[in-house]
C-alpha cells in the first residue's frame, strides 16, 4: 500500500511538472509572437517588456529573439539593451550566426560612439575568425584596416595573409553575384522577369558594387606595404619552410606577379615550386610567363595551352585568358585575348576594363588632333560603362569618372564642326565607330 501511495505521489508530481513546463512553453510562445508583432510594426518601446521576459525565461526558444532584439535595441539606441541581447545570444546560440552577431554589435557600438577602437576591433576579429562571409561589407574593410595599422611593421606577413583570406572571400561573393545577376539580366532583357526577380537584381547589384569598392580599398591599403622591396626579403626568408605549401606558394606568386616583382629570380623559383606542388592550371600559366620572359615563346605557348586545357571552370578559364592578355605587349593581340576571356565569362567586367585601359593608353597615338584623341576616351568610356552594366562589382566607377572627364567638350565639338550624336570612326589599331557625345 505504501509503495502504491509513493507511486501515486510521484506520478502527481511528474504530471504537475509536465503541466507547468507546458504552461511555461505556451507562455513563451505567446510572449514571442507578441514581441515579434511589436517589432514588425515598429513598436520598439512596447516590445522591450516581452523581449526581456523571453531572454530571462525562454533564452533558447529561438535565435530570432536576438535578431529582433538587436533591431529593437538599435532603433531605440539602447546600449544596455543591445549589450544584453548580444551577450545572451552568444551564451545560448554560440554557433548560430555568431559572425553576424559580433559584426552587427561592432557596427552598433561604432555608429553610436559607444566602444573603443580596440573593443570594436576585438568584435570584428571574432566575427572574422568565425566566418568572414557573414560580416558586413564595411566591417570587412574596417577589420582589414585594423590589421594593417597593428601589424604592418611588426608582422607584415599577417597583413598579407589576412588580405588574401579577405580577397578570396570577396572574390567568391563577387563570382556568386555575377552569376545571379547574369541570369536575372537575361530575364530582364527578355521581359520575363517578375517583381521578386527585379528586387533581387537590385539587391545583388547593390551588394556587388559595395564589394567592388571593398576590393579597391583593400588594394589601396596594402599597396603601401606590399612593395617588391618588402615582399622579396619576406618570401626569400620563408621559402624553405613553405616550399611544399601550395596555398602559400599560390598567394606568394600571385602577389609578386601583381606587384610586378616577377623579374626577380625569386619569382621563377616560387613559380616552379608552385607548379611542382599543385600541378594546377594556375601554376602552369605562371610558368608560361617565365618561359616567355626567358625567350622560349614556343614553350610558353605550349604551357599556356596545357594550363587552359587542364582548367574546367569557365570563370577560371576566362581569368587565364585575361592574365595572358595583361602580359601581352601588343595592344591588338591583348584586346583579342580579352575578348576570348569574355567568351567564357560574358559578364567579366575586368576584361572590358582592360580593353578600356588599352584604348585610353593609345589616345595620344590614335588621333591627328585634340578632338580625335579625345574621341578615343569615348571608346574607353563605352567599354567601362559596359563593364559596370554586366559586372557591378568590378570597380568600374573610377574608370568611368576618369574617361568621362576626358571626352570632347561641347566647345571642342563645335569648333571641330561635327554634330553631337554623329558617328565617328577611330583610327589606328582600335578601329571602332563611336558616337560624338551630347554632353
Amino acid at each position: 500500500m505504501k509503495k502504491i501511495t509513493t507511486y501515486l505521489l510521484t506520478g502527481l508530481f511528474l504530471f504537475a511538472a509536465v503541466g507547468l513546463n507546458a504552461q511555461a512553453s505556451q507562455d513563451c510562445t505567446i510572449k514571442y509572437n507578441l514581441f515579434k508583432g511589436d517589432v514588425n510594426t515598429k513598436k520598439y518601446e512596447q516590445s522591450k517588456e516581452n523581449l526581456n521576459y523571453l531572454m530571462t525565461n525562454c533564452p533558447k526558444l529561438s535565435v530570432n529573439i536576438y535578431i529582433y532584439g538587436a533591431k529593437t535595441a538599435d532603433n531605440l539606441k539602447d546600449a544596455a539593451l543591445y549589450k544584453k541581447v548580444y551577450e545572451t545570444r552568444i551564451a545560448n546560440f554560440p554557433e548560430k550566426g555568431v559572425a553576424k552577431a559580433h559584426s552587427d554589435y561592432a557596427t552598433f557600438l561604432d555608429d553610436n560612439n559607444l566602444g573603443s577602437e580596440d573593443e570594436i576591433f576585438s568584435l570584428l576579429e571574432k566575427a572574422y575568425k568565425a566566418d568572414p562571409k557573414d560580416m558586413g561589407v564595411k566591417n570587412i574593410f574596417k577589420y582589414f584596416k585594423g590589421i594593417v595599422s597593428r601589424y604592418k611593421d611588426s608582422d607584415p606577413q599577417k597583413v598579407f595573409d589576412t588580405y588574401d583570406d579577405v580577397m578570396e572571400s570577396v572574390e567568391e561573393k563577387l563570382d556568386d553575384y555575377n552569376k545571379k545577376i547574369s541570369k536575372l539580366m537575361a530575364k530582364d532583357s527578355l521581359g520575363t522577369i517578375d517583381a521578386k526577380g527585379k528586387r533581387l537584381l537590385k539587391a545583388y547589384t547593390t551588394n556587388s558594387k559595395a564589394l567592388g569598392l571593398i576590393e579597391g580599398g583593400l588594394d589601396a591599403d596594402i599597396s603601401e606595404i606590399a612593395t617588391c622591396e618588402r615582399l622579396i626579403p619576406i618570401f626569400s626568408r620563408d621559402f624553405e619552410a613553405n616550399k611544399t605549401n601550395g596555398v602559400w606558394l599560390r598567394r606568394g606568386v600571385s602577389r609578386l606577379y601583381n606587384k610586378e616583382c616577377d623579374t626577380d629570380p625569386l619569382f621563377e623559383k616560387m613559380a616552379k615550386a608552385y607548379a611542382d606542388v599543385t600541378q594546377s592550371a594556375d601554376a602552369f600559366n605562371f610558368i608560361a610567363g617565365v618561359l616567355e620572359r626567358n625567350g622560349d615563346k614556343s614553350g610558353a605557348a605550349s604551357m599556356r595551352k596545357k594550363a587552359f586545357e587542364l582548367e574546367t571552370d569557365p570563370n577560371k578559364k576566362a581569368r587565364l585568358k585575361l592574365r595572358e592578355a595583361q602580359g601581352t605587349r601588343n595592344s591588338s593581340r591583348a584586346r583579342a585575348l580579352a575578348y576570348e576571356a569574355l567568351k567564357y565569362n560574358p559578364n567579366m567586367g575586368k576584361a572590358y576594363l582592360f580593353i578600356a585601359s588599352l584604348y585610353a593608353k593609345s589616345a595620344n597615338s590614335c588621333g591627328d588632333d585634340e578632338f580625335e584623341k579625345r574621341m578615343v576616351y569615348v571608346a574607353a568610356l563605352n567599354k567601362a560603362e559596359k563593364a559596370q552594366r554586366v559586372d557591378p562589382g568590378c570597380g568600374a566607377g573610377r574608370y568611368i569618372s576618369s574617361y568621362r572627364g576626358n571626352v570632347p567638350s561641347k566647345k571642342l565639338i563645335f569648333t571641330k564642326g561635327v554634330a553631337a550624336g554623329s558617328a565617328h570612326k577611330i583610327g589606328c589599331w582600335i578601329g571602332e565607330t563611336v558616337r560624338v557625345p551630347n554632353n
Side-chain angles (χ1 to χ4, degrees), residues 20-21 40 46 54 65 77 83 116 123-124 126 163 176 182 199 214 229 254 260 281-282 288 309 324 328 416 419 435:
L20 288 170
N21 286 337
N40 285 332
Q46 186 174 310
L54 292 166
I65 292 171
K77 307 301 177 190
K83 183 178 182 182
S116 68
L123 287 165
L124 294 177
K126 289 176 182 177
Y163 171 86
D176 185 49
S182 177
R199 287 196 302 272
I214 288 293
E229 291 75 19
S254 296
E260 298 182 353
D282 187 51
E309 290 175 349
E324 184 181 354
T328 302
K416 182 69 176 177
R435 295 287 170 183

Side-chain angles (χ1 to χ4, degrees), residues 8 25 43 51 55 72 79 89 127 201 210 215 224 230 256-257 261 263 278 290 317 340 345 373 386 399 403 428 431:
L8 286 171
S25 177
K43 297 174 183 175
L51 171 58
M55 288 193 289
T72 293
R89 172 178 178 163
L201 179 58
E215 193 175 30
E224 298 177 19
R230 271 183 181 254
L256 290 174
Y257 176 83
C261 312
T263 56
T278 66
V290 171
K317 278 183 176 288
E340 284 186 41
N345 180 3
K373 290 175 181 179
K386 174 76 171 180
Y399 293 89
Y403 300 146
C428 69

Side-chain angles (χ1 to χ4, degrees), residues 17-226:
V18 170
L20 288 170
N21 286 337
Q23 181 61 47
S25 177
Q26 187 177 21
D27 288 346
C28 284
T29 302
I30 291 170
K31 295 281 188 183
Y32 173 72
N33 287 329
L34 290 171
F35 164 65
K36 189 168 70 170
D38 284 339
V39 175
N40 285 332
T41 54
K42 300 183 179 181
K43 297 174 183 175
Y44 301 115
E45 188 65 45
Q46 186 174 310
S47 73
K48 282 173 63 176
E49 182 179 347
N50 285 327
L51 171 58
N52 281 309
Y53 177 92
L54 292 166
M55 288 193 289
T56 302
N57 298 285
C58 341
K60 295 183 183 294
L61 178 66
S62 170
V63 73
N64 287 332
I65 292 171
Y66 308 101
I67 294 172
Y68 286 116
K71 190 174 182 180
T72 293
D74 191 19
N75 279 278
L76 294 174
K77 307 301 177 190
D78 190 329
L81 180 61
Y82 207 125
K83 183 178 182 182
K84 182 179 179 182
V85 169
Y86 166 73
E87 291 179 347
T88 311
R89 172 178 178 163
I90 297 302
N92 289 281
F93 293 93
E95 296 180 0
K96 198 166 186 178
V98 66
K100 191 174 188 316
H102 292 316
S103 183
D104 287 349
Y105 188 39
T107 298
F108 175 80
L109 294 178
D110 192 35
D111 288 349
N112 294 284
N113 298 313
L114 293 170
S116 68
E117 187 177 308
D118 285 342
E119 185 180 1
I120 291 168
F121 177 77
S122 177
L123 287 165
L124 294 177
E125 189 167 45
K126 289 176 182 177
Y128 178 79
K129 287 179 178 177
D131 190 350
K133 292 192 289 297
D134 284 345
M135 293 175 71
V137 171
K138 288 182 181 178
N139 281 348
I140 291 176
F141 187 46
K142 195 176 298 178
Y143 171 69
F144 181 70
K145 287 183 79 70
I147 288 288
V148 172
S149 66
R150 284 165 173 78
Y151 299 103
K152 64 181 179 181
D153 294 319
S154 61
D155 189 0
Q157 186 62 55
K158 183 176 178 67
V159 178
F160 300 150
D161 289 342
T162 305
Y163 171 86
D164 288 325
D165 288 339
V166 171
M167 286 299 287
E168 285 170 13
S169 177
V170 168
E171 193 172 87
E172 283 179 19
K173 283 186 173 184
L174 285 171
D175 280 349
D176 185 49
Y177 283 134
N178 189 293
K179 291 173 185 175
K180 290 174 178 176
I181 289 170
S182 177
K183 290 178 182 178
L184 290 170
M185 284 181 69
K187 288 184 178 181
D188 193 32
S189 64
L190 293 171
T192 58
I193 193 170
D194 57 16
K196 181 181 178 182
K198 286 184 177 181
R199 287 196 302 272
L200 288 173
L201 179 58
K202 183 178 179 181
Y204 295 153
T205 299
T206 300
N207 291 340
S208 185
K209 283 181 180 178
L211 283 171
L213 291 174
I214 288 293
E215 193 175 30
L218 293 175
D219 281 338
D221 268 5
I222 204 170
S223 64
E224 298 177 19
I225 61 171

Side-chain angles (χ1 to χ4, degrees), residues 290-302:
V290 171
L291 291 172
E292 187 161 25
R293 190 162 47 252
N294 291 341
D296 186 359
K297 292 187 177 181
S298 175
S302 177

